[in-house]
Amino acid sequence: MKADEATEFMDRDRETDRFKQRCAIVIALFAMLLAVTGLGGNNATKEALNANIQAANLYNFFQAKNVRQTTFALAADSFELAFLNDPALAEGAKAALRTKLEQYRKTIARYESEPDTQEGKKELIARAKAEDARRDHALKQDPYFDYAEALLQIAIVLISVAIVAEIAWLAFVGGAMGIVGALLMVNGFLLLVEVPFLA
């Protein structure tokens, strides 16, 4: 082997080593982004499940309040009809029925809206709708994390193969896929753009 050939061989080795080092750094970066993407996807899934459970609980609570309110309204109507239509009813009994009727009407109004406890029907339905919105937001985020995770994994594999096979174009394809995956990850967190076919 001549000196010129040895120098050329060493230069080629240096270029190969530089290529491998750059690929390794990109793989490490994509692996870090993959971990963050997995965390974001898991959090979005948990958020959607928790919000869905909370919304269902609040709708059930609303329904229970509605049933109780209807029961009190029917009882109040019965009392009202009883003392208005029964002239034979003693005045003391009518007064007791009026008092009970007022209590029932207050309870009916309290079931409609209870701003202090946030447990009136108005407040419950508003809280349930807020949980629905939280769930829907998390469900919009989730597909972006899924696709980002897949693209980042494929990018890592392609770049790894590019190192072993010493095929530069494969590293560029993997890099491009990784960049798209990173953009999808960012979009999963921020929902800057909604892509219809991903949702």
Side-chain angles (χ1 to χ4, degrees):
M1 178 183 282
K2 295 181 183 176
D4 292 343
E5 291 175 358
T7 305
E8 188 179 313
F9 185 71
M10 289 172 60
D11 287 343
R12 205 174 319 131
D13 275 352
R14 250 188 244 122
E15 279 183 39
T16 303
D17 286 345
R18 226 182 332 225
F19 170 73
K20 288 179 181 179
Q21 286 173 344
R22 288 179 183 154
C23 286
I25 290 169
V26 171
I27 287 172
L29 176 69
F30 287 164
M32 179 193 66
L33 292 176
L34 179 61
V36 172
T37 301
L39 184 65
N42 288 338
N43 286 345
T45 301
K46 288 177 192 172
E47 182 79 12
L49 289 172
N50 288 338
N52 196 47
I53 290 168
Q54 288 298 324
N57 288 344
L58 290 166
Y59 283 123
N60 288 335
F61 195 12
F62 170 87
Q63 192 62 27
K65 283 273 184 170
N66 194 44
V67 168
R68 291 190 72 192
Q69 185 184 39
T70 302
T71 303
F72 276 103
L74 290 172
D77 289 346
S78 297
F79 284 177
E80 207 166 24
L81 290 173
F83 75 77
L84 287 177
N85 292 334
D86 190 1
L89 198 59
E91 201 53 47
K94 283 185 180 183
L97 283 174
R98 278 192 196 101
T99 303
K100 198 58 148 170
L101 177 63
E102 287 174 24
Q103 289 174 349
Y104 282 0
R105 295 284 183 215
K106 285 179 185 175
T107 301
I108 291 166
R110 184 173 50 87
Y111 281 171
E112 191 62 35
S113 179
E114 265 186 288
D116 297 341
T117 62
Q118 293 291 304
E119 292 183 354
K121 284 175 29 182
K122 280 183 184 176
E123 294 81 16
L124 288 172
I125 203 72
R127 287 170 55 200
K129 287 181 180 180
E131 292 297 330
D132 281 344
R134 204 173 107 218
R135 177 204 59 215
D136 293 344
H137 179 78
L139 288 175
K140 284 180 184 177
Q141 290 176 304
D142 192 48
Y144 294 104
F145 289 120
D146 292 341
Y147 286 106
E149 205 167 347
L151 286 173
L152 287 167
Q153 287 176 356
I154 293 168
I156 289 169
V157 169
L158 289 177
I159 296 170
S160 298
V161 170
I163 290 172
V164 173
E166 296 183 5
I167 303 173
W169 67 266
L170 198 55
F172 285 111
V173 171
M177 291 182 87
I179 290 169
V180 172
L183 292 173
L184 286 174
M185 178 201 69
V186 169
N187 199 47
F189 282 111
L190 304 177
L191 285 180
L192 299 171
V193 179
E194 288 191 40
V195 181
F197 65 87
L198 290 181

